[in-house]
Amino acid sequence: MSKLVKDQYLVSSFFTFFLIHSSQIGAGILGFQTYISKDARQDAWIPLLIAGGTIHLIIWLLYKTLDEEHNDLVAIHHYCFGKIIGNLFSLLVMLFFLLETLTVYRTYIEIIQVWVYPYVKTWQLGLIFALVMYYFVSSGFRVLTGFSFWGVILPSVLLITLYFPLQHAKPLYLFPMFEHSMKDLFLSFKASTYLFLGFEWILLYYPFIKDQERSSKYAHFGNLYSTLLYLVAALVSFVYFNQEVLQEIPWATLQMVKIVMFPFIERFEYIFIFLWLLVIISPLCISIWACTRIVKRITPVPPKVVLITLLCIVLVSASGIKDWDQAEMLGGITSSTGFYFIYLYLPLLFLIKQFRKRLS
């Protein structure tokens, strides 16, 4: 059964652009170049572009799956599988969303520990972020939507800072083009999928959007802007680093930002990392809000109790990840799970719903 939302909690359809884009731009953009170029090397920008294009198709499928009668993931699951099995599927999706939260959460903590405060404990930074997340999520979805504005503005500033590494660019690093096999391109495409995760949270906040059908174009604009931002960052890094060097650099974007020089700022990358917290908070809060929303829809447990419980799980889990290798392994698990969730489960859910409608 669909859940109606009161008018005072709704947001304009225009904000779908900010919600989609800010959900896709997180810690990944600070070092994605190494992973997507592992197999396709200098051709990795091609599968990156294809990945962004296929996400448009998945967004179109989501809007075809959502409607007034079944306006969120829980309602769709109930319609397709029944209440008991539907709730089980909803909980499994909630665990995946929680995995996304943990990955972004732990990755940003790792960045701060490597670049700024190497002796600060994971749980200390994690506790601070958990308190911030609790404050914003408990404030409601409209507050999260307003905060997603910064998830668009600050990544856009990144385009300005990329001017500095471009001054040392060597376009020959992009050649030879189109020399990699379909297998290499597919593996790079699969790795690129992780960058676009976050748009699927619209399955939960769709009821909070006014003029829902009109919001479709803004969702596509948000994904298009994410694709272009990733593409520009990838191309700049590919002409700034040769592939041998790039494969040894975990945070290529931060390495490029490191060369930015101002007379009044000695270490610009420190400012950049801490400002990026405003970008990270948006996907962290929206994902944990989506988890809380799922539990609220299928159980009578108070949302604040659920929120505190989930934040404690994320904090304890993040503290158990001791080093960069384990954090990298977590990112790989999230990337693989997200790939199958997006390209297998969501289209399958669309087909099941269409088949169910034909039978009724």
Side-chain angles (χ1 to χ4, degrees), residues 158-319:
L158 174 63
L159 296 174
I160 301 175
T161 61
L162 291 179
Y163 164 77
F164 292 89
L166 272 179
Q167 292 179 311
H168 309 280
K170 295 182 179 179
L172 287 177
Y173 286 161
L174 289 176
F175 296 92
M177 288 186 179
F178 314 113
E179 71 163 0
H180 291 85
S181 67
M182 293 298 295
K183 179 183 177 180
D184 291 335
L185 293 175
F186 175 77
L187 291 174
S188 181
F189 166 80
K190 187 177 179 181
S192 299
T193 304
Y194 171 73
L195 304 175
F196 298 95
L197 292 177
F199 74 93
E200 69 276 9
W201 300 329
I202 196 173
L203 287 166
L204 276 304
Y205 61 71
Y206 183 80
F208 290 80
I209 301 174
K210 295 179 182 177
D211 301 323
Q212 293 164 345
E213 293 183 0
R214 186 185 174 195
S215 69
S216 173
K217 63 179 180 181
Y218 295 114
H220 285 289
F221 285 147
N223 181 68
L224 176 62
Y225 187 48
S226 299
T227 304
L228 293 176
L229 192 62
Y230 279 125
L231 181 63
V232 170
L235 288 174
V236 171
S237 63
F238 290 169
V239 297
Y240 182 72
F241 301 106
N242 66 53
Q243 286 298 319
E244 285 69 26
V245 172
L246 185 61
Q247 298 308 310
E248 302 298 326
I249 298 177
W251 307 108
T253 302
L254 287 178
Q255 289 287 351
M256 292 190 294
V257 170
K258 191 175 181 179
I259 72 169
V260 176
M261 300 290 293
F262 294 106
F264 51 90
I265 300 176
E266 184 174 352
R267 299 297 297 271
F268 179 75
E269 70 272 18
Y270 287 178
I271 297 176
F272 186 86
I273 289 171
F274 286 116
L275 282 178
W276 211 257
L277 175 61
L278 299 177
V279 179
I280 296 294
I281 283 297
S282 183
L284 282 177
C285 290
I286 295 175
S287 61
I288 205 73
W289 177 90
C291 295
T292 306
R293 178 72 179 173
I294 290 175
V295 178
K296 178 183 177 181
R297 293 276 281 113
I298 64 178
T299 71
V301 181
K304 287 195 175 181
V305 174
V306 176
L307 175 59
I308 293 173
T309 303
L310 294 178
L311 288 175
C312 288
I313 292 173
V314 171
L315 176 59
V316 172
S317 301
S319 300

Side-chain angles (χ1 to χ4, degrees), residues 30-223:
L30 300 180
F32 72 97
Q33 300 92 330
T34 302
Y35 303 104
I36 68 170
S37 63
K38 182 179 179 181
D39 297 286
R41 298 287 173 149
Q42 72 275 7
D43 285 337
W45 63 272
I46 301 172
L48 174 64
L49 199 57
I50 295 173
T54 56
I55 296 300
H56 283 289
L57 177 60
I58 303 300
I59 290 175
W60 178 82
L61 282 180
L62 291 185
Y63 272 89
K64 289 295 181 181
T65 308
L66 294 161
D67 53 42
E68 291 184 4
E69 188 177 357
H70 313 101
N71 64 358
D72 70 357
L73 181 67
V74 175
I76 294 170
H77 279 160
H78 285 176
Y79 179 72
C80 293
F81 307 111
K83 187 172 182 179
I84 296 177
I85 298 179
N87 286 345
L88 177 61
F89 275 100
S90 296
L91 284 175
L92 290 175
V93 173
M94 186 272 290
L95 291 176
F96 169 61
F97 288 172
L98 197 63
L99 180 64
E100 290 182 297
T101 307
L102 175 61
T103 303
V104 177
Y105 183 85
R106 186 61 182 86
T107 300
Y108 186 68
I109 290 175
E110 184 70 21
I111 292 173
I112 293 180
Q113 289 175 325
V114 170
W115 285 79
V116 187
Y117 298 123
Y119 300 109
V120 175
K121 302 294 184 182
T122 300
W123 72 265
Q124 294 171 330
L125 289 171
L127 180 60
I128 295 174
F129 296 153
L131 292 174
V132 173
M133 290 165 64
Y134 175 81
Y135 173 77
F136 283 113
V137 175
S138 60
S139 298
F141 182 72
R142 287 175 62 90
V143 172
L144 297 184
T145 303
F147 205 81
S148 67
F149 171 80
W150 294 107
V152 176
I153 299 302
L154 290 178
S156 300
V157 175
L158 174 63
L159 296 174
I160 301 175
T161 61
L162 291 179
Y163 164 77
F164 292 89
L166 272 179
Q167 292 179 311
H168 309 280
K170 295 182 179 179
L172 287 177
Y173 286 161
L174 289 176
F175 296 92
M177 288 186 179
F178 314 113
E179 71 163 0
H180 291 85
S181 67
M182 293 298 295
K183 179 183 177 180
D184 291 335
L185 293 175
F186 175 77
L187 291 174
S188 181
F189 166 80
K190 187 177 179 181
S192 299
T193 304
Y194 171 73
L195 304 175
F196 298 95
L197 292 177
F199 74 93
E200 69 276 9
W201 300 329
I202 196 173
L203 287 166
L204 276 304
Y205 61 71
Y206 183 80
F208 290 80
I209 301 174
K210 295 179 182 177
D211 301 323
Q212 293 164 345
E213 293 183 0
R214 186 185 174 195
S215 69
S216 173
K217 63 179 180 181
Y218 295 114
H220 285 289
F221 285 147
N223 181 68

Side-chain angles (χ1 to χ4, degrees), residues 64-65 67 70 76 79-81 346-360:
K64 289 295 181 181
T65 308
D67 53 42
H70 313 101
I76 294 170
Y79 179 72
C80 293
F81 307 111
L346 292 182
L348 185 61
L349 187 63
F350 167 77
L351 293 175
I352 292 174
K353 187 185 177 187
Q354 296 305 310
F355 180 72
R356 180 77 171 78
K357 285 174 67 176
R358 288 182 180 274
L359 292 179
S360 60

